[in-house]
Amino acid sequence: MKNFLKKLIKTLFPIKIIDNKISYKTGTTKTIISANEYVTLSAETEKNKSLLRKNAEDIAKNCDYNPQKIIDFIKNSGTKIVISPHALKLLNIIGEEEGFLPHTNAFNTLFLKLFFQAPPVFIIKSSSTELLYHYLYKWCAYRMNIPGANINLHLNKQPKNNLTPEEIVSLNEAIQLDKEAIDFALFIEQKTKGANKVKEKMVNGGADI
């Protein structure tokens, strides 16, 4: 990831920051970039991410890994949720994706307000969506103000070629957070699959597991 960022920085800013370092602070992370280095100072952010992981795990566990209970918990926490079988088709019109949308541009916000709800909002096709735990993690990150959580990340789109250094930093944070959300979703999937296998064997074949 750092090598990718270095190449991106050199491509987009070959003159602007060759001799100067530029630093940005996003929440609890300070980032220093130049043409030859990319350094993050994020001890507090990493500590908060540990709390984020525990918080997301606790929510999933306390909801018995039940999708509807998780949806109800999110809704009772004050976040708007829209569940519609037409969600994917309508979101595709404005280039957005299913899941938790912390914010959108002015046009997309107006569109969402007309058809669904204005951000921040969950828009999903069903409560049993296979990406629910991924969305849960990013929602928790948003509520904890984790760097990168306020960006709608579209990994299937190429980033524009006139990004500012600050936008590059924010994009990197969003990508890193998305990877962590994927890891969390896979962890929960394995955990629940294992538990279901044990339960199934106990029901069908006694305690010989």
Side-chain angles (χ1 to χ4, degrees), residues 150-165:
N150 63 340
I151 294 178
N152 295 343
L153 190 63
H154 303 293
L155 293 179
N156 61 329
K157 295 181 180 179
Q158 292 294 322
K160 58 185 181 180
N161 60 6
N162 60 338
L163 293 173
T164 66

Side-chain angles (χ1 to χ4, degrees), residues 12-23:
L12 299 179
F13 308 98
I15 298 174
K16 190 174 182 180
I17 59 173
I18 278 183
D19 297 317
N20 299 310
K21 292 182 179 179
I22 300 176
S23 66

Side-chain angles (χ1 to χ4, degrees), residues 4 22-23 97 101 125 162 183 187 193 196 204:
F4 167 75
I22 300 176
S23 66
E97 298 173 356
L101 282 69
K125 60 186 177 182
N162 60 338
D183 289 341
F187 168 78
K193 276 186 177 180
N196 288 337
N204 297 330

